[in-house]
Amino acid sequence: MPASRRGSGTVTLPTGQTLAFHTRTQDEGDLPHATKKTMADHLRKYESLFTLTPQRMRMIVDAFKDTLEAGLEKNGNTVPMIPTYVFGWPTGNETGEYLAVDLGGTNLRVCLVTLQGSGRFEITQTKYRLSEDQKQEDGQKLFDFCAECLKTFIDQHVGEEPGMINLKPGDKLPLGFTFSYPCSQNKIDHGELIRWTKGFGNPNTEGHDVAEMFRKSLQKYDVPADFISLTCDTTGTLIASHYVNPKTKIGCIFGTGCNAAYMEKVADIPKIKSLGIEGAAEIAINCEYGAFDSFEHEHLPRTKYDQIVDETSNKPGEQAYEKLISGRYLGEIMRLVICELIDEGVLFLGQETYKLEKSYAFDTAFLSLMESDPTDELLMIIGIFTHFFAVETTLAERQFFRALAKLIGRRAARLSACGIAAIVSKMGYLDEGCSVGADGSLYNKYPGFADRIHEGLIDVFGDKGRNIVTYHAEDGSGVGSAIIAAMTKQRKEGGLYLHV
Ligand code: GLC
């Protein structure tokens, strides 16, 4: 790549993306761009707003830990600490064919998972992109869509050949449903939706048993599936990751939403005392900690941009922690800062900026592309601004954007570390150390996200923070859900805790 390129054209980056770029062939003087010094001054201001000191992180972790404990005490807390009725760890020897349906964000996924034992599995899957309309239509319609897709998938995969589903007439396949929204559960095949998150808003669903709604849709489409378990992506991640790496103690998602699950002793979950489950038994807890600090906003460092994101969301006040971290919101936070500088006359004077002024026009993927732009002239950033927003940028501005993306991405990773640290500290995992299975678009695609989480853990715990290591998890929503269905079938066939 030449250090300097002028003119228009396209560039293919190591990531495989092809982007159009356009640099000015003349001096960058004929549009009133901001000077390098102005941009540096602005950057300093944002640095102080978006930087989290180790001391502040430790305060957040302390409050977080108290919140987790309070959620185990009684029902109805904002961070609900949901007992999932997934009892203990998989043995690694769960076997058989399972269907998994994964509804949790951008896509609907239907999978056939073959568990082969010894931590091995095979998966066949189809993805369907959900439209924005589908996220707002009547809830039953959304579940009908899931059932219809599953039916098509099964029809396409039934057959005698290897890799196909060998289904005799009248047979049903066990099904694990991954529904990644907070549901209060009083047994594993039931779940009352507490609230929609991640921009979903389908009416007639909150307060309803979504397992029942989905079962109704399965019946309607005559799907040969036996609904075994309702789980969330984090619980699936915890279990799937442990299936292949038994050192795993925490499962996390950093994607469209953020959340974690871990294993808790029943004796330490006071709110389920009345269920008559042995105190020494262990149950996975779906923390739903994206809701940390919701409504009261006492602990998290919210900037005015975060407040705008919150107030203009479909759920103001809710998911306060998630709104500072997750992929759904980071691009919007960046866009709001850029818009402020446009309003102040610092950026893009004399250019049409209406494309940038549209809510959620700035994708979080742009932040990671900006941070990973390998060229001196920041050609990727040129491409983003010309191609998607039809505005021209100077090198000083592009350097500013890259630095701003870094501030927002780094804050998200450091805050993510706080949630993990709260579980580690509550459970006393620090000395012995543990693996954390992590998944989601931010974790997997944002450059340096994992390293920044690790730096954050060291800032919170000192050198011992190195004992906590995150790694790319197994597919919790597909494979994890199948393992959970297998564990549940085994448990029920063994007559254990049939009431949950
Ligand atoms: C949101 C959901 C939660 C899920 C997380 C990650 O926080 O409420 O259930 O685990 O997103 O997808």
Side-chain angles (χ1 to χ4, degrees), residues 104 179-182 195 197-198 232-234 253-260 286 288 290-291 319 322:
F179 181 75
S180 304
Y181 305 89
R195 55 181 163 257
T197 54
K198 300 180 276 198
C232 153
D233 50 6
T234 47
I253 302 286
F254 302 111
T256 313
C258 92
N259 188 15
N286 165 20
E288 284 296 337
Q319 299 297 99
E322 180 161 282

Side-chain angles (χ1 to χ4, degrees), residues 111-140:
C111 322
L112 172 70
V113 183
T114 310
L115 300 175
Q116 298 161 323
S118 312
R120 288 175 306 123
F121 57 83
E122 265 176 15
I123 180 163
T124 312
Q125 55 182 334
T126 306
K127 269 188 192 176
Y128 304 84
R129 182 135 193 136
L130 290 171
S131 67
E132 281 311 307
D133 287 350
Q134 282 177 305
K135 297 180 191 171
Q136 310 302 333
E137 70 190 7
D138 184 74
Q140 193 65 54

Side-chain angles (χ1 to χ4, degrees), residues 52-66 68 250 252 254 258 260 289 292 299-301 321 324-325 410-426 449 452-461 468 470:
L52 263 183
T53 62
Q55 192 196 8
R56 184 71 198 263
M57 290 174 78
R58 280 182 225 119
M59 285 164 66
I60 294 171
V61 174
D62 284 345
F64 216 132
K65 190 175 154 212
D66 293 346
L68 301 183
I250 300 173
C252 294
F254 302 111
C258 92
Y289 72 24
F292 172 60
H299 305 292
L300 294 170
Y321 179 62
L324 305 188
I325 292 179
R410 188 157 181 264
R411 182 187 70 157
R414 290 170 73 74
L415 283 169
S416 302
C418 293
I420 297 173
I423 298 180
V424 166
S425 142
K426 181 199 164 313
F449 199 80
R452 288 170 181 167
I453 291 183
H454 292 143
E455 273 164 33
L457 287 166
I458 295 168
D459 279 349
V460 172
F461 291 127
I468 313 301
T470 71

